[in-house]
Amino acid sequence: MTSTGSPPVYTRRDRFGPAAELRRLAARAPVTRIDVGPGTGGVPVWLVTGHAEVRQVLGDHVRFSTRRRFGSPSGAPSGERPDAMVGQLMDYDPPEHTRLRKILTPEFTGRRIRRLEPLVERITGSCLDAVERAGPPADLMARFATPLAGGVLCALLGVPRDDRAGFLRRCHAFLGPTRSRQRRADAGEALSRRLEGMVRRARATPDDGFLGALVRDHGEEVTDRELRGVCVLLVLAGLDNVSGMLGLGTLVLLGHPEQLAAVRDDPEAVDGAVDELLRYLTVPHAPTPRTALTDVTVGGRLIRAGEHLICSLPTANRDPALLEGPDRFDITREPAPHLAFGHGVHHCLGAALARLELRIAYPALLRRFSRLALAVPAGEVPFRAHALAHGVETLPVTW
């Protein structure tokens, strides 16, 4: 998708929340028919907005598949999996998904992620140093949020330091929403070749990093193409989602000074603040579309086998049935079972790592710059359009 034309309704936002049109659809019914344009082969597409209904769909991998694609009226896979999708868990149903996820899960356990804490702290400190050197006003996205997310990703994948800038340029070109479809495809191919080289080196001389550990522990169980696809998935999940949360979360906190002070000064408030920011902002628009494998009722609607469903995570996380005052930002509220990381067997593999980055980054930023403030009126902060994850384009700040 390029930047021309209107984005699909399920991706539309109004600053921190779903856009008015999306809210109207959610208020009308928890499941509604929508038009997502050409490419569905005439198969009906349903938008699921209610929290309970989204949980039902995402939690049921027996009746709803991520493997099936738009444009297949029978609901069956359209031939062999495209090479670009090999290793990307969101294109796998059990038992394929179970096999690959079992291989990857040990690298993302709480214990393994805690070992990354000193690394994330160092990268955060380095990014804050860069902000300070730049001096006010500074763009917090360019100087802090984007480099922090990229630095953690590169360290996780084992990208050599002297190649990280080039690697991240390829990643951002691949993710860039304003580029033409062909330019993004070309960028994707270039990134794929770079990742293939990293996988080959890990096979030849496995180190202590993510790829090296997978090769040592599961060398015969996972192919090079799958390892490459896993890396692509980490790029998709680990850059725009994390940078979007860092930028948007900072902007929200700047608009709530008392809650900002709690995040800055009270370590015990940070976990609750991160959880509420994840719910309130929910930067992913929707997980991989599902296809019904059998006739099934969702939210009072009969979904026929072969029909497609798109689950809106932001509206599900602001469902009044989930919690009281869902449009109110309150870091002191009891945590709710939000869906910012999805649900079911496809729950985000890197959720613990993303939480770690946010738990470290927010208070570190606010402590380093205790007088942090917007350098422009809040209404002039530009939000991302046509992006895979919600966020702001720039965040000019002073201190």
Side-chain angles (χ1 to χ4, degrees):
M1 182 185 298
T2 66
S3 62
T4 58
S6 298
V9 64
Y10 64 90
T11 69
R12 297 176 195 170
R13 307 287 186 111
D14 180 8
R15 293 180 62 79
F16 305 119
E21 183 179 357
L22 186 51
R23 288 178 181 271
R24 285 194 294 269
L25 289 174
R28 186 182 308 162
V31 182
T32 55
R33 284 276 295 271
I34 61 170
D35 180 8
V36 296
T40 66
V43 178
V45 178
W46 298 90
L47 177 66
V48 187
T49 55
H51 182 267
E53 291 76 15
V54 169
R55 278 181 68 93
Q56 176 189 346
V57 173
L58 300 186
D60 187 350
H61 64 269
V62 174
R63 292 185 292 179
F64 300 102
S65 170
T66 60
R67 175 72 176 90
R68 280 64 178 171
R69 284 285 174 257
F70 282 177
S72 177
S74 68
S78 53
E80 184 180 354
R81 175 177 287 113
D83 181 70
M85 299 305 296
V86 173
Q88 295 197 36
L89 283 172
M90 70 276 198
D91 195 65
Y92 285 59
D93 288 335
E96 275 189 306
H97 177 274
T98 307
R99 175 191 66 83
L100 189 54
R101 178 113 182 182
K102 186 176 180 180
I103 291 171
L104 298 174
T105 295
E107 296 305 312
F108 291 93
T109 61
R111 181 175 60 84
R112 293 285 183 96
I113 295 303
R114 283 192 293 274
R115 287 168 48 187
L116 296 175
E117 187 168 345
L119 171 68
V120 175
E121 289 175 343
R122 286 197 300 272
I123 292 172
T124 300
S126 176
C127 292
L128 290 173
D129 291 343
V131 174
E132 195 164 13
R133 284 196 300 271
D139 176 8
L140 209 62
M141 292 303 297
R143 298 286 184 178
F144 180 67
T146 300
L148 193 158
V152 173
L153 175 70
C154 286
L156 180 67
L157 294 179
V159 180
R161 288 187 177 276
D162 59 357
D163 189 37
R164 289 182 180 181
F167 177 80
L168 290 173
R169 278 197 300 272
R170 294 184 182 95
C171 292
H172 291 301
F174 171 55
L175 297 172
T178 60
R179 292 171 175 260
S180 69
R181 187 181 299 272
Q182 185 57 53
R183 291 183 68 189
R184 287 188 63 192
D186 292 343
E189 290 180 9
L191 176 62
S192 181
R193 289 193 297 271
R194 180 67 184 85
L195 292 171
E196 287 168 357
M198 291 169 53
V199 170
R200 285 195 299 269
R201 283 195 291 277
R203 286 280 189 194
T205 55
D207 57 18
D208 294 329
F210 173 72
L211 285 174
L214 289 177
V215 168
R216 281 197 314 275
D217 297 341
H218 305 281
E220 300 301 319
E221 304 171 61
V222 61
T223 69
D224 285 3
R225 294 168 70 207
E226 287 175 328
L227 288 173
R228 179 203 61 193
V230 168
C231 292
V232 172
L233 181 60
L234 293 176
V235 170
L236 290 169
L239 283 180
D240 282 0
N241 285 339
V242 173
S243 68
M245 276 298 304
L246 289 172
L248 279 177
T250 302
L251 184 57
V252 168
L253 290 169
L254 288 171
H256 296 79
E258 291 185 3
Q259 299 189 64
L260 181 151
V263 174
R264 183 190 63 216
D265 302 331
D266 182 5
E268 293 187 1
V270 174
D271 282 351
V274 167
D275 200 69
E276 174 69 347
L277 284 165
L278 287 165
R279 180 203 68 82
Y280 185 75
L281 297 172
T282 312
V283 297
H285 305 300
T288 304
R290 267 51 173 180
T291 300
L293 301 181
T294 185
D295 291 358
V296 57
T297 299
V298 181
R301 296 280 193 171
L302 176 61
I303 312 297
R304 298 288 187 182
E307 295 181 348
H308 308 302
L309 304 95
I310 295 174
C311 294
S312 171
L313 300 181
T315 57
N317 283 342
R318 289 184 180 231
D319 188 340
L322 172 63
L323 75 173
E324 183 180 351
D327 290 321
R328 185 181 73 251
F329 176 67
D330 181 3
I331 67 173
T332 67
R333 71 164 82 236
E334 286 296 316
H338 65 71
L339 303 168
F341 290 115
H343 178 63
V345 298
H346 288 282
H347 182 269
C348 178
L349 185 67
L353 177 58
R355 285 181 181 275
L356 175 67
E357 293 179 64
L358 300 178
R359 286 201 309 267
I360 290 173
Y362 288 131
L365 168 68
L366 300 176
R367 285 194 299 265
R368 175 73 72 95
F369 304 108
S370 60
R371 300 178 65 182
L372 191 73
L374 287 176
V376 298
E380 294 182 9
V381 175
F383 285 73
R384 292 175 183 168
H386 302 273
L388 295 175
H390 190 42
V392 293
E393 292 286 354
T394 62
L395 187 60
V397 295
T398 188
W399 55 89

